[in-house]
Each structure stands twice: as structure tokens, then as C-alpha cells.
Amino acid sequence: EAGVVQSPRYKIIEKKQPVAFWCNPISGHNTLYWYLQNLGQGPELLIRYENEEAVDDSQLPKDRFSAERLKGVDSTLKIQPAELGDSAVYLCASSPEQGEGYNEQFFGPGTRLTVL
Amino acid sequence: AQTVTQSQPEMSVQEAETVTLSCTYDTSENNYYLFWYKQPPSRQMILVIRQEAYKQQNATENRFSVNFQKAAKSFSLKISDSQLGDTAMYFCAFQGAQKLVFGQGTRLTINP
């Protein structure tokens, strides 16, 4: 079974430029998560989708961050414009069930973003 | 809000030794899950072990076991017969009715 796929693995951009990350969850997983992981810290949830609906985006900085999950499968996370403080690893995860929130999340390899 | 605390930023042991990583959490919920994730330099978060709060028996997965103390809100991970491939960041995580909350992580190094 293929795991969560993310691309690109690395991205280097100048500040104020836009950037986008892509995630393909495990087939059949209806819940998708985007996390931000700063250096030396644990991941923090940015947004959670159930199918195509964003059910928790309370931690997403909506002035510059946006996300979409068209058709309830693939998802993209965008930053526009990027700031120096956005340099981090962006992780995507998926899980097969949603409702109680007690299920295992499967993580992708992440995208390391460097903003210069 | 739930919080997860890992008090050991770094640990280092010799190969084949046993090591225990500490984790405490704070919650008012009664039903929840606890996890230990491993994150090697490749950045892939890998689930090591999980524990359901309603189960009194401590979870075990081969060389990995936990000591779950619900009253004390403690959830430590024991790695027996440590191997070089165990070198990684280890994150303790809590999931209740809402989101998955991670601790700050412990960097574990296994020395040959």
C-alpha cells in the first residue's frame, strides 16, 4: 500500500514569493491533515479536512495561508506571500476514519521550506 | 487545552542498552489515545506504539513497551536492546476528542 505522498521534498524561495505544497493521501482515507513543524519542535496542526470540507482551520493564518482539497482526495497548501518565519517543515497526514478522532494518522515525508 | 510535556530534550545510550523516554500530559478527558512517534532524519513520522486510555494493560510492540500511568498522566516509552536504527527524534502525542497534540520531542542517539 502506497503511503502519503508529498511534493516537493524541498523548496527554497525568496521572501514575498508564493509557494505551494501538494499532498496525496493514502487511498480511501477521508481525513487529511496539514501540520507545521518548526525546527526542534513537534508538529502543530494547521488544518484538518473531512473529505472536501475543512472542519478545523482555527490554527491556519488565513491572511497568507490557504488550502484546498478538491474532490476530497489531493490537497494543496499555499502561502502567499511567504515570510522568513515560514521556514519550516510542512507535513501532511491522513487517517481512514473520522468522527471520534481516536485513529492513527499516517504521515508523509514532509516538505522542507526555506525562505531567504 | 491538552498539553504534552517531554522533559528530556536529548538522550544517548550504548547499543543493546535499555532506555526510557518520559512523557506527561494534561487533560480533563477520560477517553483518549496516546502515541509515540519516531522521526528519523528522513523526516517521516513513524508510529511506534499506541495506547488506548481505557485499557489498563500496557501496550507492547516487540522491543518497545510503554508504562501508562493514567492517574499520574504519565506515558513513558521503554526501548529494550536498543539498535543503531533507533536513533531518531521521538515524539509523544495525545489525541482526545479534538486534535492530535505533540510534545516537544526527545532526540535519542544510540552509540555503537
Side-chain angles (χ1 to χ4, degrees):
Chain A
E1 179 183 86
V4 176
V5 179
Q6 290 188 247
S7 69
R9 292 295 309 277
Y10 303 89
K11 188 72 176 180
I12 301 174
I13 60 171
E14 300 277 336
K15 63 181 180 181
K16 301 184 181 179
Q17 294 300 306
V19 64
F21 313 124
W22 175 80
C23 173
N24 186 293
I26 293 173
S27 178
H29 285 193
N30 65 329
T31 305
L32 184 147
Y33 313 79
W34 282 103
Y35 287 89
L36 166 69
Q37 186 177 21
N38 287 307
L39 184 65
Q41 299 183 24
E44 297 177 8
L45 181 69
L46 287 173
I47 189 168
R48 173 168 63 95
Y49 281 94
E50 289 184 29
N51 298 306
E52 63 273 11
E53 181 182 359
V55 296
D56 183 357
D57 63 355
S58 57
Q59 301 303 310
L60 189 72
K62 298 181 183 62
D63 56 335
R64 298 183 301 107
F65 286 65
S66 64
E68 61 182 11
R69 192 185 183 196
L70 301 177
K71 302 181 181 178
V73 181
D74 294 5
S75 177
T76 56
L77 177 69
K78 299 178 181 178
I79 308 174
Q80 182 171 10
E83 297 179 352
L84 295 177
D86 296 331
S87 295
V89 174
Y90 293 82
L91 294 169
C92 179
S94 68
S95 63
E97 295 181 16
Q98 183 56 40
E100 298 176 350
Y102 294 164
N103 300 289
E104 178 182 348
Q105 295 184 24
F106 296 80
F107 284 81
T111 297
R112 181 181 295 280
L113 173 66
T114 301
V115 182
L116 303 177
Chain B
Q2 288 83 14
T3 59
V4 178
T5 302
Q6 294 179 247
S7 59
Q8 304 150 312
E10 294 187 25
M11 295 192 71
S12 177
V13 299
Q14 296 297 120
E15 190 176 8
E17 289 184 347
T18 295
V19 59
T20 299
L21 308 184
S22 301
C23 174
T24 58
Y25 59 94
D26 186 25
T27 184
S28 58
E29 297 183 42
N30 193 48
N31 297 318
Y32 49 88
Y33 279 49
L34 294 163
F35 305 88
W36 277 98
Y37 280 91
K38 169 185 178 180
Q39 188 178 40
S42 67
R43 301 197 306 269
Q44 186 88 40
M45 293 284 273
I46 302 166
L47 180 67
V48 174
I49 199 166
R50 63 188 289 174
Q51 174 80 41
E52 294 88 339
Y54 64 86
K55 290 186 177 179
Q56 294 185 341
Q57 185 174 5
N58 289 324
T60 299
E61 289 287 343
N62 301 314
R63 298 183 296 108
F64 299 87
S65 61
V66 299
N67 183 2
F68 174 48
Q69 301 291 325
K70 190 172 184 179
K73 297 179 181 176
S74 171
F75 183 61
S76 62
L77 173 70
K78 185 172 81 171
I79 306 175
S80 302
D81 186 26
S82 58
Q83 302 174 359
L84 297 179
D86 296 332
T87 293
M89 283 290 291
Y90 286 81
F91 291 96
C92 177
F94 169 99
Q95 182 155 22
Q98 298 181 3
K99 60 185 179 181
L100 186 63
V101 178
F102 288 85
Q104 309 93 314
T106 296
R107 183 177 302 279
L108 176 64
T109 301
I110 309 299
N111 299 307

mmCIF file of all heavy atoms in Angstrom, chain B residues 20-21 23 36 51 58-59 65-70 73-78:
data_model
loop_
_atom_site.group_PDB
_atom_site.id
_atom_site.type_symbol
_atom_site.label_atom_id
_atom_site.label_comp_id
_atom_site.label_asym_id
_atom_site.label_seq_id
_atom_site.Cartn_x
_atom_site.Cartn_y
_atom_site.Cartn_z
ATOM 1 N N THR B 20 14.640 4.628 28.550
ATOM 2 C CA THR B 20 13.259 5.021 28.807
ATOM 3 C C THR B 20 13.080 6.510 28.550
ATOM 4 O O THR B 20 13.824 7.332 29.103
ATOM 5 C CB THR B 20 12.849 4.697 30.257
ATOM 6 O OG1 THR B 20 12.956 3.278 30.472
ATOM 7 C CG2 THR B 20 11.413 5.128 30.515
ATOM 8 N N LEU B 21 12.109 6.835 27.723
ATOM 9 C CA LEU B 21 11.785 8.225 27.407
ATOM 10 C C LEU B 21 10.510 8.624 28.171
ATOM 11 O O LEU B 21 9.536 7.876 28.175
ATOM 12 C CB LEU B 21 11.552 8.393 25.901
ATOM 13 C CG LEU B 21 12.644 7.861 24.973
ATOM 14 C CD1 LEU B 21 12.305 8.186 23.526
ATOM 15 C CD2 LEU B 21 13.993 8.415 25.349
ATOM 16 N N CYS B 23 7.212 11.074 29.300
ATOM 17 C CA CYS B 23 6.163 11.915 28.733
ATOM 18 C C CYS B 23 5.064 12.091 29.771
ATOM 19 O O CYS B 23 4.622 11.112 30.385
ATOM 20 C CB CYS B 23 5.596 11.289 27.468
ATOM 21 S SG CYS B 23 4.160 12.152 26.771
ATOM 22 N N TRP B 36 3.415 7.141 20.623
ATOM 23 C CA TRP B 36 4.817 7.511 20.462
ATOM 24 C C TRP B 36 5.148 7.394 18.973
ATOM 25 O O TRP B 36 4.903 6.356 18.353
ATOM 26 C CB TRP B 36 5.740 6.586 21.253
ATOM 27 C CG TRP B 36 5.870 6.969 22.691
ATOM 28 C CD1 TRP B 36 5.200 6.439 23.758
ATOM 29 C CD2 TRP B 36 6.736 7.984 23.225
ATOM 30 N NE1 TRP B 36 5.591 7.057 24.920
ATOM 31 C CE2 TRP B 36 6.525 8.005 24.623
ATOM 32 C CE3 TRP B 36 7.663 8.864 22.668
ATOM 33 C CZ2 TRP B 36 7.211 8.877 25.465
ATOM 34 C CZ3 TRP B 36 8.341 9.727 23.504
ATOM 35 C CH2 TRP B 36 8.117 9.735 24.882
ATOM 36 N N GLN B 51 -1.556 3.563 22.735
ATOM 37 C CA GLN B 51 -2.198 3.081 23.959
ATOM 38 C C GLN B 51 -3.585 3.713 24.071
ATOM 39 O O GLN B 51 -3.715 4.935 23.981
ATOM 40 C CB GLN B 51 -1.366 3.477 25.180
ATOM 41 C CG GLN B 51 -1.989 3.164 26.526
ATOM 42 C CD GLN B 51 -1.827 1.721 26.940
ATOM 43 O OE1 GLN B 51 -0.768 1.136 26.750
ATOM 44 N NE2 GLN B 51 -2.865 1.135 27.521
ATOM 45 N N ASN B 58 -0.498 -2.330 29.596
ATOM 46 C CA ASN B 58 0.453 -1.523 28.840
ATOM 47 C C ASN B 58 0.698 -2.142 27.469
ATOM 48 O O ASN B 58 0.880 -3.354 27.338
ATOM 49 C CB ASN B 58 1.778 -1.413 29.603
ATOM 50 C CG ASN B 58 1.668 -0.530 30.826
ATOM 51 O OD1 ASN B 58 0.950 0.473 30.816
ATOM 52 N ND2 ASN B 58 2.351 -0.899 31.884
ATOM 53 N N ALA B 59 0.746 -1.293 26.451
ATOM 54 C CA ALA B 59 0.983 -1.754 25.092
ATOM 55 C C ALA B 59 2.441 -2.181 24.922
ATOM 56 O O ALA B 59 3.354 -1.614 25.534
ATOM 57 C CB ALA B 59 0.639 -0.652 24.095
ATOM 58 N N SER B 65 7.902 -0.863 24.573
ATOM 59 C CA SER B 65 6.794 -1.012 25.512
ATOM 60 C C SER B 65 6.558 0.313 26.216
ATOM 61 O O SER B 65 7.426 1.198 26.210
ATOM 62 C CB SER B 65 7.092 -2.110 26.540
ATOM 63 O OG SER B 65 8.236 -1.784 27.295
ATOM 64 N N VAL B 66 5.358 0.457 26.769
ATOM 65 C CA VAL B 66 5.042 1.701 27.462
ATOM 66 C C VAL B 66 4.693 1.398 28.901
ATOM 67 O O VAL B 66 4.298 0.282 29.256
ATOM 68 C CB VAL B 66 3.880 2.461 26.780
ATOM 69 C CG1 VAL B 66 4.250 2.841 25.362
ATOM 70 C CG2 VAL B 66 2.589 1.655 26.840
ATOM 71 N N ASN B 67 4.860 2.434 29.724
ATOM 72 C CA ASN B 67 4.384 2.395 31.109
ATOM 73 C C ASN B 67 3.351 3.505 31.225
ATOM 74 O O ASN B 67 3.695 4.687 31.308
ATOM 75 C CB ASN B 67 5.535 2.628 32.083
ATOM 76 C CG ASN B 67 5.066 2.520 33.527
ATOM 77 O OD1 ASN B 67 3.898 2.236 33.814
ATOM 78 N ND2 ASN B 67 5.968 2.748 34.460
ATOM 79 N N PHE B 68 2.090 3.111 31.152
ATOM 80 C CA PHE B 68 0.974 4.051 31.153
ATOM 81 C C PHE B 68 0.408 4.150 32.557
ATOM 82 O O PHE B 68 -0.102 3.159 33.103
ATOM 83 C CB PHE B 68 -0.093 3.592 30.168
ATOM 84 C CG PHE B 68 -1.363 4.400 30.188
ATOM 85 C CD1 PHE B 68 -1.327 5.788 30.161
ATOM 86 C CD2 PHE B 68 -2.602 3.767 30.205
ATOM 87 C CE1 PHE B 68 -2.502 6.533 30.179
ATOM 88 C CE2 PHE B 68 -3.779 4.497 30.211
ATOM 89 C CZ PHE B 68 -3.729 5.879 30.193
ATOM 90 N N GLN B 69 0.522 5.324 33.136
ATOM 91 C CA GLN B 69 0.000 5.593 34.471
ATOM 92 C C GLN B 69 -1.081 6.671 34.327
ATOM 93 O O GLN B 69 -0.780 7.876 34.326
ATOM 94 C CB GLN B 69 1.107 6.061 35.404
ATOM 95 C CG GLN B 69 2.247 5.085 35.565
ATOM 96 C CD GLN B 69 1.835 3.846 36.327
ATOM 97 O OE1 GLN B 69 1.016 3.912 37.250
ATOM 98 N NE2 GLN B 69 2.399 2.698 35.930
ATOM 99 N N LYS B 70 -2.340 6.227 34.210
ATOM 100 C CA LYS B 70 -3.420 7.165 33.894
ATOM 101 C C LYS B 70 -3.630 8.197 34.994
ATOM 102 O O LYS B 70 -3.829 9.379 34.712
ATOM 103 C CB LYS B 70 -4.726 6.410 33.639
ATOM 104 C CG LYS B 70 -5.832 7.282 33.067
ATOM 105 C CD LYS B 70 -7.031 6.466 32.656
ATOM 106 C CE LYS B 70 -8.094 7.362 31.995
ATOM 107 N NZ LYS B 70 -9.276 6.572 31.559
ATOM 108 N N LYS B 73 -1.042 10.661 34.787
ATOM 109 C CA LYS B 73 -0.960 11.242 33.439
ATOM 110 C C LYS B 73 0.467 11.156 32.924
ATOM 111 O O LYS B 73 1.058 12.156 32.471
ATOM 112 C CB LYS B 73 -1.493 12.674 33.439
ATOM 113 C CG LYS B 73 -2.972 12.735 33.807
ATOM 114 C CD LYS B 73 -3.509 14.138 33.830
ATOM 115 C CE LYS B 73 -4.980 14.118 34.234
ATOM 116 N NZ LYS B 73 -5.548 15.471 34.371
ATOM 117 N N SER B 74 0.973 9.930 32.986
ATOM 118 C CA SER B 74 2.330 9.660 32.545
ATOM 119 C C SER B 74 2.319 8.544 31.516
ATOM 120 O O SER B 74 1.556 7.579 31.629
ATOM 121 C CB SER B 74 3.186 9.267 33.753
ATOM 122 O OG SER B 74 4.447 8.800 33.357
ATOM 123 N N PHE B 75 3.195 8.671 30.521
ATOM 124 C CA PHE B 75 3.195 7.704 29.409
ATOM 125 C C PHE B 75 4.628 7.583 28.904
ATOM 126 O O PHE B 75 5.022 8.227 27.938
ATOM 127 C CB PHE B 75 2.265 8.219 28.308
ATOM 128 C CG PHE B 75 2.114 7.305 27.129
ATOM 129 C CD1 PHE B 75 1.594 6.032 27.264
ATOM 130 C CD2 PHE B 75 2.455 7.732 25.853
ATOM 131 C CE1 PHE B 75 1.441 5.197 26.168
ATOM 132 C CE2 PHE B 75 2.311 6.909 24.753
ATOM 133 C CZ PHE B 75 1.805 5.653 24.911
ATOM 134 N N SER B 76 5.433 6.736 29.520
ATOM 135 C CA SER B 76 6.834 6.607 29.138
ATOM 136 C C SER B 76 7.023 5.466 28.150
ATOM 137 O O SER B 76 6.260 4.499 28.124
ATOM 138 C CB SER B 76 7.699 6.394 30.376
ATOM 139 O OG SER B 76 7.333 5.201 31.020
ATOM 140 N N LEU B 77 8.060 5.595 27.349
ATOM 141 C CA LEU B 77 8.404 4.600 26.335
ATOM 142 C C LEU B 77 9.715 3.934 26.716
ATOM 143 O O LEU B 77 10.707 4.610 26.968
ATOM 144 C CB LEU B 77 8.551 5.258 24.963
ATOM 145 C CG LEU B 77 9.068 4.365 23.835
ATOM 146 C CD1 LEU B 77 8.012 3.332 23.448
ATOM 147 C CD2 LEU B 77 9.464 5.205 22.620
ATOM 148 N N LYS B 78 9.711 2.600 26.738
ATOM 149 C CA LYS B 78 10.923 1.852 27.003
ATOM 150 C C LYS B 78 11.357 1.119 25.742
ATOM 151 O O LYS B 78 10.553 0.412 25.124
ATOM 152 C CB LYS B 78 10.727 0.848 28.136
ATOM 153 C CG LYS B 78 12.012 0.117 28.522
ATOM 154 C CD LYS B 78 11.848 -0.740 29.765
ATOM 155 C CE LYS B 78 11.211 -2.057 29.476
ATOM 156 N NZ LYS B 78 11.258 -2.976 30.665
#
